[in-house]
Amino acid sequence: INKENKKPVVVCCGDSITHGHIGYDWVGSLRKKDKTKLFVNAGINADLTWNLNQRVIDIIKHNPDYVTILIGTNDAIGSQPVKQIQQYYIQTKGLPKKPSIEWFEEQIDELLSTLTKKTNARIALITLPFIGEQKDSEIIQVVKNHNRIIRNVSNKHGTKLLDFFKEFDSIIIDNNSIPYTTSELRRLRGLRAVILHYVFNWTWKDIGKKYNLKLLCDHIHLNEDGGQILEKMVEEFLKE
């Protein structure tokens, strides 16, 4: 950040849902809308909470006034006992061990502890959105268990909680979407989304229609409707 900067700094931390290359770019949209603040996109594709902790110093050095944290979707996916998925995360993300919900809890607590001690930022912790849109699926239960930890950690460290999951829960009523699957298919669906959007100019919403998805484009990443819900929640937080 330019030393001459006088604007409040907002650092948005997370994974691909924040990075906004696959799915709706809510950080980019906020940046266009609000010229009074400086937005730093600190989302990195496929990051787990441990990865975010490895680069927390990069967040601190921006001396942020606001920090948003949406992390844990890859922890949730990686915690599933599917060897191929766990190996994928260990190899591509340089993890020292297999992802698990216990490790997620330890890492998210450490992240909040560091940021509350080493910055004066107002911090918003965001609950994870749905993975797939089948309310009664096993993966949604996994997401709920991770969100329970997010709520507890937010409470413990006195940060603002933005309950993104609750918004999904109120909008998605029926289960007529094609189910999410923890297999290679999930990455192929992501690849399909990227090609259709960037090569053929499809909207993220149209891409998700094939699977009857309302708020997601490929079972993991946000379409315009899902992304704009999060954008509004963050916008409100920044006004407080």
Side-chain angles (χ1 to χ4, degrees), residues 73-182:
T73 294
N74 292 297
D75 296 79
I77 294 168
S79 72
Q80 298 311 282
V82 180
K83 195 178 174 194
Q84 180 191 25
I85 301 289
Q86 293 188 321
Q87 284 308 118
Y88 163 79
Y89 280 119
I90 289 167
Q91 284 161 8
T92 60
K93 301 306 291 186
L95 305 180
K97 59 178 175 179
K98 279 197 302 194
S100 69
I101 192 164
E102 294 77 16
W103 194 34
F104 168 72
E105 184 165 19
E106 185 189 297
Q107 291 296 315
I108 193 103
D109 187 43
E110 185 183 313
L111 178 68
L112 267 288
S113 192
T114 306
L115 288 172
T116 49
K117 281 183 191 133
K118 300 203 170 167
T119 74
N120 295 315
R122 292 202 63 236
I123 299 170
L125 198 50
I126 304 166
T127 55
L128 307 179
F130 278 30
I131 296 174
E133 293 185 3
Q134 295 265 332
K135 271 189 155 173
D136 50 7
S137 64
E138 202 178 315
I139 196 72
I140 294 290
Q141 195 50 55
V142 173
V143 171
K144 283 181 178 174
N145 293 339
H146 282 70
N147 279 337
R148 194 172 302 123
I149 290 166
I150 288 171
R151 288 190 184 93
N152 291 343
V153 167
S154 176
N155 202 21
K156 176 183 170 183
H157 293 280
T159 69
K160 174 83 176 173
L161 183 81
L162 302 182
D163 203 346
F164 192 28
F165 182 91
K166 193 177 171 187
E167 298 294 321
F168 265 70
D169 207 29
S170 66
I171 291 167
I172 295 160
I173 306 299
D174 47 28
N175 277 352
N176 65 353
S177 63
I178 290 170
Y180 163 81
T181 167
T182 303

Side-chain angles (χ1 to χ4, degrees), residues 35-52:
K35 303 290 186 195
T36 67
K37 296 179 185 71
L38 191 70
F39 289 86
V40 177
N41 190 325
I44 292 185
N45 291 0
D47 259 13
L48 283 79
T49 312
W50 179 82
N51 297 108
L52 187 50

Side-chain angles (χ1 to χ4, degrees), residues 10 12 17-18 20 23-34 37 39 68 70 124 126-127 129 162-164 167-168 204 215 222-240:
V10 184
C12 303
I17 298 172
T18 299
Y24 181 73
D25 181 9
W26 59 274
V27 181
S29 181
L30 280 172
R31 187 184 285 131
K32 277 187 200 135
K33 261 199 255 180
D34 186 353
K37 296 179 185 71
F39 289 86
T68 67
L70 174 53
I126 304 166
T127 55
L162 302 182
D163 203 346
F164 192 28
E167 298 294 321
F168 265 70
W204 298 113
L215 301 175
L222 308 172
N223 70 16
E224 290 81 0
D225 290 354
Q228 281 159 14
I229 293 166
L230 179 55
E231 188 179 327
K232 280 198 186 80
M233 292 175 90
V234 172
E235 217 171 346
E236 289 304 310
F237 162 68
L238 296 175
K239 283 178 190 164
E240 286 171 18

